[in-house]
Amino acid sequence: MEHNLIFDFLNMVSLQIPGLSRGPMGSTNPIVKGMIPSVIGIMLIAIGLNLFNAMIKRRMVDQNKVKKLLKDTRAWQKERIAAFKAKDQEKIDELNKKSAYMNKMNMELMQLNMRPMMITFLPLILVFYFVLPPLFSYTVAVSPIPLNFIPGNFFQLTCTADKVASTPSICKHVNDLYFWAWYFLSSASFSGIIMRLTKTTMDTS
């Protein structure tokens, strides 16, 4: 999974943490009315924010350095796994001597990827708290299947029967998709394409 997708997921989770969330986000009288305009509008916002993230990443991070670090660490990991499978203790000992150096490289790689997030995280939060809620309804699409794969009620993407019964003003039907969930799915769908177009992908090939 690409780092951008991981950060997007973490951002979505942070919006569910009690104290950070203002409750269900959306409007009973949204500016953008109708399912199709809402779906397209959120998709365009997701693409725009992905482009913003990619541009910031291109300016702040040396992509050649990232790819070299990735190539070296992955090659070392591949060699290490192969040595363990072959039970080649001499090779394992030789590779283990490089562990401290590889850990340092991994830490540097993480820092390089975290640096753009320090700038892009705040705009994303501002968009979610001040732009999207007045624009869109609580739910904007209908999923053919439930998407609440994580156990418990901490992180739900679609409405449940209980939500429909308890909060009919928010959830009209079972499997209605929350607008922020549609944003996450849209962002995940276009993230890889945008990273390839802007040459910010983590692919070393």
Side-chain angles (χ1 to χ4, degrees):
M1 180 179 280
E2 298 283 5
H3 285 72
N4 279 9
L5 295 183
I6 296 172
F7 293 152
D8 276 343
F9 180 77
L10 292 174
N11 290 337
M12 297 304 100
V13 170
S14 72
L15 295 174
Q16 301 302 298
I17 297 174
L20 291 182
S21 174
R22 300 182 302 180
M25 289 183 290
S27 173
T28 53
N29 185 28
I31 296 172
V32 180
K33 300 183 187 295
M35 185 180 293
I36 293 175
S38 296
V39 164
I40 294 172
I42 292 171
M43 195 181 296
L44 291 174
I45 290 172
I47 292 171
L49 287 174
N50 266 299
L51 283 170
F52 173 69
N53 289 342
M55 291 300 101
I56 292 294
K57 190 173 181 180
R58 274 186 68 85
R59 286 193 170 274
M60 292 188 66
V61 178
D62 184 342
Q63 296 302 312
N64 291 327
K65 185 175 184 178
V66 168
K67 288 181 179 181
K68 184 181 184 308
L69 288 171
L70 270 173
K71 189 175 181 179
D72 291 347
T73 53
R74 287 174 180 173
W76 177 78
Q77 288 166 355
K78 189 175 179 181
E79 277 189 86
R80 198 160 179 258
I81 290 169
F84 273 109
K85 285 182 178 178
K87 297 181 179 178
D88 186 343
Q89 191 59 47
E90 185 178 346
K91 186 69 174 177
I92 292 171
D93 292 340
E94 179 186 340
L95 290 168
N96 282 342
K97 291 177 182 177
K98 297 182 180 179
S99 290
Y101 174 67
M102 292 320 242
N103 287 336
K104 183 181 177 181
M105 289 177 68
N106 271 317
M107 185 62 67
E108 185 177 359
L109 183 61
M110 187 180 296
Q111 288 172 349
L112 285 171
N113 281 298
M114 287 291 287
R115 197 180 299 162
M117 189 185 172
M118 298 304 155
I119 292 177
T120 59
F121 182 80
L122 182 58
L124 179 64
I125 294 298
L126 292 176
V127 165
F128 264 88
Y129 275 89
F130 299 106
V131 178
L132 296 186
L135 284 177
F136 301 106
S137 179
Y138 296 106
T139 59
V140 298
V142 181
S143 171
I145 58 171
L147 299 177
N148 304 322
F149 301 120
I150 299 176
N153 299 322
F154 181 69
F155 191 73
Q156 294 184 336
L157 277 72
T158 51
C159 293
T160 62
D162 289 341
K163 286 285 187 182
V164 173
S166 62
T167 55
S169 61
I170 294 174
C171 291
K172 306 293 185 184
H173 311 94
V174 175
N175 294 340
D176 278 357
L177 197 69
Y178 295 110
F179 86 72
W180 56 264
W182 176 247
Y183 167 82
F184 172 68
L185 294 175
S186 299
S187 181
S189 299
F190 288 101
S191 179
I193 298 170
I194 290 171
M195 283 191 286
R196 281 177 173 80
L197 289 175
T198 56
K199 297 182 180 179
T200 54
T201 178
M202 302 299 287
D203 187 4
T204 56
S205 59

